[in-house]
Amino acid sequence: MSIRMCASPKTMIALLAFVGTTGSLVAQTWPAPVVKVEGLRQISAHVHIIPDNSVPGVPNVGYVVGDRAALVVDTGLGPRNGAAVYEVASKLAGAKALYLVTTHVHPEHDLGAQAFPGTTKLIRSTDQEKDIAESGLGLAKVFASRSAVHAELLKDANFRKADITFERDYELDLGGVRAKLTAMGPNHTVGDTIIWIEPDRVLFAGDLAMRAQPAFASPRSSLQQWLASLDRLEALKPAIIVPSHGPTGEGAGFITSYRAYLTEVHDRTVAEKRLGRSVDQAVAAVTAAFDGREPDKARLAGAIRAAYAEAP
Ligand SMILES: [Zn+2]
């Protein structure tokens, strides 16, 4: 597969709306997006995480350690973060086989993979490969423009080729613990992958359920698909949700609050469309109806636009 490095105009518009750089007149200062490995902590029998401390451009990193092998979830932004994340993996896993999966292909989740040694097996869904082909390094360029530190971290960063690919589900036996990887269809991105650690009831939910508002970052992001995904997440009955950003959650709280939000966006937007309103009028009306209850207006607008496009 050839990797196209320039995103299509439609994809770039969605990405820019998602990162909120359009229309902003105030220059923002970004904290250094560095994975703080000293934060490593164990959250269940087989799972450790390095929390992101809610720093933009840093993911929650996960480690699932079995008797025979270990799985790393998300890499950090660029090779230097990837190397630090790998070093922790090698300490936790010793001589065991190492696998790597990413919740999606956005730069802070995926663009540290090249720092892992060749013996690490990178697992990707075919949807993630589609995402890379469609969006390329478009978002990496946006991230690199945030500061000199961002640019340095992303220098020479590129996507690593998968060693193992799967279509919908992939089960990985780590020895005494299984990780079930599922491609969830177009939600936050086309290639959102969740990782379910059955015996520990820990769910790595990616951007599909977290504290921050959901972000529709791909022109193919679907609100209907997202609602269906939430039902599937809830059916797992997770004890702990590790989202790709922000604090971990106990139980299904992130799922139920996402459902309430997306359902309200859906219902209000459909009503506006039935009244013959344009998409821009719907964005204005539904945003006004939320009356500041959801702080991120760009993300709210992204959800409304997705709902509008899908409404009959
Ligand atoms: Zn993302």
Side-chain angles (χ1 to χ4, degrees), residues 145-162:
S145 71
R146 286 177 174 175
S147 79
V149 176
H150 285 75
E152 177 61 29
L153 286 169
L154 282 166
K155 197 169 165 279
D156 302 325
N158 210 335
F159 290 104
R160 179 166 163 168
K161 208 170 165 300

Side-chain angles (χ1 to χ4, degrees), residues 18 104 106 108-109 188-189 207 245:
F18 150 61
H104 56 298
H106 282 167
E108 74 272 44
H109 306 278
H188 171 60
T189 65
D207 274 39
H245 296 285

Side-chain angles (χ1 to χ4, degrees), residues 2-45:
S2 74
I3 294 174
R4 194 149 51 92
M5 286 308 152
C6 301
S8 73
K10 211 174 163 193
T11 301
M12 274 317 287
I13 288 164
L15 290 174
L16 289 169
F18 150 61
V19 294
T21 55
T22 49
S24 170
L25 298 172
V26 185
Q28 197 171 347
T29 17
W30 297 92
V34 174
V35 177
K36 299 284 187 195
V37 295
E38 62 274 19
L40 179 74
R41 65 185 169 93
Q42 188 164 12
I43 60 163
S44 70

Side-chain angles (χ1 to χ4, degrees), residues 51-124:
D52 68 346
N53 303 319
S54 297
V55 174
V58 179
N60 287 318
V61 173
Y63 300 94
V64 188
V65 185
D67 303 328
R68 192 182 61 73
L71 173 68
V72 181
V73 180
D74 283 0
T75 68
L77 185 76
R80 203 168 78 198
N81 277 309
V85 166
Y86 166 70
E87 203 180 307
V88 173
S90 64
K91 279 184 190 138
L92 288 172
K96 293 167 190 171
L98 202 60
Y99 295 86
L100 173 63
V101 67
T102 72
T103 56
H104 56 298
V105 302
H106 282 167
E108 74 272 44
H109 306 278
D110 198 296
L111 282 179
Q114 73 203 80
F116 283 66
T119 47
T120 304
K121 298 234 177 307
L122 174 61
I123 310 171
R124 281 195 192 288

Side-chain angles (χ1 to χ4, degrees), residues 30-291:
W30 297 92
V34 174
V35 177
K36 299 284 187 195
V37 295
E38 62 274 19
L40 179 74
R41 65 185 169 93
Q42 188 164 12
I43 60 163
S44 70
H46 301 95
V47 179
H48 292 70
I49 61 166
I50 303 174
D52 68 346
N53 303 319
S54 297
V55 174
V58 179
N60 287 318
V61 173
Y63 300 94
V64 188
V65 185
D67 303 328
R68 192 182 61 73
L71 173 68
V72 181
V73 180
D74 283 0
T75 68
L77 185 76
R80 203 168 78 198
N81 277 309
V85 166
Y86 166 70
E87 203 180 307
V88 173
S90 64
K91 279 184 190 138
L92 288 172
K96 293 167 190 171
L98 202 60
Y99 295 86
L100 173 63
V101 67
T102 72
T103 56
H104 56 298
V105 302
H106 282 167
E108 74 272 44
H109 306 278
D110 198 296
L111 282 179
Q114 73 203 80
F116 283 66
T119 47
T120 304
K121 298 234 177 307
L122 174 61
I123 310 171
R124 281 195 192 288
S125 69
T126 48
D127 283 344
Q128 284 195 347
E129 297 195 312
K130 276 181 216 153
D131 244 346
I132 293 169
E134 280 174 23
S135 307
L137 292 168
L139 193 55
K141 290 192 180 101
V142 175
F143 276 42
S145 71
R146 286 177 174 175
S147 79
V149 176
H150 285 75
E152 177 61 29
L153 286 169
L154 282 166
K155 197 169 165 279
D156 302 325
N158 210 335
F159 290 104
R160 179 166 163 168
K161 208 170 165 300
D163 300 284
I164 299 166
T165 53
F166 69 98
E167 200 74 32
R168 293 262 68 90
D169 294 289
Y170 187 80
E171 250 191 51
L172 186 61
D173 186 355
L174 300 168
V177 56
R178 279 171 184 274
K180 192 175 175 194
L181 284 48
T182 303
M184 297 299 287
N187 304 278
H188 171 60
T189 65
V190 173
D192 295 318
T193 300
I194 62 159
I195 301 97
W196 172 235
I197 313 304
E198 161 88 88
D200 297 25
R201 312 208 71 74
V202 171
L203 174 64
F204 290 93
D207 274 39
L208 265 59
M210 51 186 192
R211 182 180 283 175
Q213 272 166 257
F216 290 70
S218 161
R220 290 206 267 146
S221 292
S222 158
L223 190 141
Q224 295 293 358
Q225 177 76 26
W226 208 318
L227 283 169
S229 296
L230 293 174
D231 290 343
R232 294 176 67 191
L233 300 192
E234 194 168 38
L236 295 170
K237 297 191 170 62
I240 302 172
I241 293 179
V242 183
S244 61
H245 296 285
T248 58
E250 280 178 30
F254 292 150
I255 299 170
T256 45
S257 58
Y258 263 36
R259 183 185 291 119
Y261 170 74
L262 293 177
T263 302
E264 183 173 347
V265 169
H266 171 266
D267 293 351
R268 289 187 183 281
T269 304
V270 169
E272 292 298 321
K273 193 169 180 179
R274 285 215 183 103
L275 290 170
R277 306 270 151 78
S278 70
V279 63
D280 290 332
Q281 287 171 327
V283 169
V286 177
T287 302
F290 268 89
D291 195 24

Side-chain angles (χ1 to χ4, degrees), residues 297-309:
K297 290 216 166 68
R299 289 193 175 188
L300 178 55
I304 298 165
R305 287 179 190 281
Y308 191 96

